[in-house]
Amino acid sequence: MPIETTNHIWHNGELIPWEKAQIHVMSHVIHYGSSVFEGIRCYKQPGGAGVFRLPEHMQRLINSAKIYRMPLPYTLEQLNEAVVEIIEANGVTPCYIRPVAFRGYGEIGVNPLKSPVEVYIANFPWGKYVPGNEGADVCISSWNRLAPNTMPSLAKAGANYMNSQLIRMEADTNGYVEGIALDRNGYLSEGSGENLFLAIGGTLYTPPLANAALSGITRDSIMVLARQMGIPVVEQSLPRELLYICDEAFFTGTAAEVTHLRSVDRIMVGDGNMGPVTTALHKAFFDIVNGLAPDHHNWLTPVNVREAVGV
């Protein structure tokens, strides 16, 4: 999916032209992967547009930076306001929002502490992330997720996504649209950029964060909606073979939203169609973000964009 440029990018408190958002080749992040980032969506609604769970995403950015001793010179409120500012300045909704903080041009060497912290926020149109209108055909990857106490899985760090790239490239090379990683003990973890859910006998299961899964905000939203609908939710370690015999399985994530899995390792999940649990949660999620159902959880931050541009 090629990037569609917009007019402005937010950089350290100012709006700059898209083409001016550049860094030096000797910036620390290029050599050592010293970045943290977020992915957020803004949805078009009948009365305007809304950013989905903006404070939670920006708090996770702050937390990721804190784990990596990367102090951000902005408060949560300032970062939230910056996201609204850039969306309204570019006038593009629905859109994907990419805040990123990284160590810039300072010193060479592994120690990042004397390299300055740069913060950028971009937004642009972006559609469906996981291909497959009839469900995703995925595989179990030969690449495991990170082991505990090696790199922090709770930080959404750029360096972690080198592991994700290996998972996604392997899947693509072998004819799948996505790969699912196991943790170091062989239990289900997550996709290259998505959390994972299984439905068995009307109960929803998902790997716990201890299985090297990211603390997904869409993941949390689905768990909240499921419990509201009376669907039991269980977080526990899951063996890979449950994916072959479960009734339903789906991904969640800002980019993936709610995407059902048709097959895993060319074994059909259920009958291959979106099952009743996934269908109910899919509908509940999209009804809220698209403004077709009340936002009882205050998950949407309103933005004022006069001309909404579809993707």
Side-chain angles (χ1 to χ4, degrees):
M1 293 177 289
I3 296 172
E4 293 186 43
T5 63
T6 53
N7 292 328
H8 306 287
I9 286 180
W10 189 94
H11 173 229
N12 292 347
E14 297 182 357
L15 296 180
I16 63 173
W18 178 283
E19 62 274 10
K20 298 293 185 182
Q22 300 177 1
I23 63 173
H24 197 280
V25 71
M26 294 306 295
S27 295
H28 195 275
V29 62
I30 291 178
H31 299 266
Y32 302 104
S34 46
S35 70
V36 296
F37 71 97
E38 275 300 317
I40 313 170
R41 279 195 190 265
C42 177
Y43 290 88
K44 183 180 176 182
Q45 299 178 312
V51 184
F52 185 66
R53 301 195 69 173
L54 175 58
E56 291 89 345
H57 279 100
M58 300 314 281
Q59 184 61 59
R60 189 171 62 181
L61 180 75
I62 292 170
N63 292 345
S64 297
K66 184 176 182 180
I67 290 169
Y68 275 99
R69 303 177 187 268
M70 188 187 298
L72 301 184
Y74 304 100
T75 65
L76 174 62
E77 291 72 22
Q78 288 172 323
L79 291 169
N80 292 340
E81 290 169 2
V83 169
V84 173
E85 180 184 9
I86 190 63
I87 295 172
E88 292 182 348
N90 284 327
V92 175
T93 60
C95 65
Y96 185 82
I97 305 132
R98 172 50 55 86
V100 59
F102 58 84
R103 293 284 184 174
Y105 183 83
E107 293 189 355
I108 196 71
V110 172
N111 185 358
L113 295 177
K114 292 187 179 180
S115 294
V117 176
E118 303 274 352
V119 182
Y120 286 83
I121 303 173
N123 80 305
F124 46 89
W126 205 29
K128 187 176 177 64
Y129 180 68
V130 179
N133 293 328
E134 304 301 323
D137 297 313
V138 306
C139 65
I140 302 295
S141 179
S142 68
W143 294 97
N144 286 356
R145 271 306 193 199
L146 304 167
N149 210 33
T150 55
M151 294 177 68
S153 296
L154 290 185
K156 193 173 176 69
N160 289 11
Y161 282 75
M162 292 299 289
N163 176 254
S164 295
Q165 290 177 49
L166 292 168
I167 294 165
R168 187 64 182 259
M169 287 188 293
E170 180 185 53
D172 183 75
T173 298
N174 292 323
Y176 301 95
V177 301
E178 183 58 290
I180 295 172
L182 308 178
D183 74 358
R184 68 189 297 263
N185 294 313
Y187 293 110
L188 292 173
S189 179
E190 59 183 359
S192 72
E194 311 88 8
N195 289 116
L196 177 65
F197 285 89
L198 285 68
I200 303 173
T203 296
L204 199 60
Y205 294 86
T206 191
L209 304 185
N211 288 139
L214 182 70
S215 182
I217 292 164
T218 308
R219 171 185 184 269
D220 175 73
S221 305
I222 290 299
M223 293 167 70
V224 168
L225 293 173
R227 290 177 174 128
Q228 278 188 340
M229 298 164 67
I231 301 170
V233 179
V234 178
E235 294 182 80
Q236 70 174 53
S237 296
L238 303 168
R240 65 180 286 176
E241 59 267 28
L242 275 182
L243 273 173
Y244 304 142
I245 59 176
C246 65
D247 302 319
E248 307 171 44
F250 61 91
F251 284 142
T252 63
T254 294
E257 299 171 301
V258 180
T259 300
H260 93 272
L261 306 188
R262 181 170 62 180
S263 69
V264 180
D265 292 337
R266 298 196 169 91
I267 298 175
M268 201 68 73
V269 177
D271 63 2
N273 297 311
M274 186 183 293
V277 172
T278 310
T279 298
L281 292 169
H282 185 277
K283 182 179 187 304
F285 174 82
F286 279 102
D287 280 354
I288 292 172
V289 299
N290 291 324
L292 304 178
D295 177 22
H296 294 303
H297 303 283
N298 295 317
W299 281 344
L300 294 161
T301 299
V303 294
N304 182 21
V305 178
R306 292 182 181 178
E307 294 294 330
V309 180
V311 294

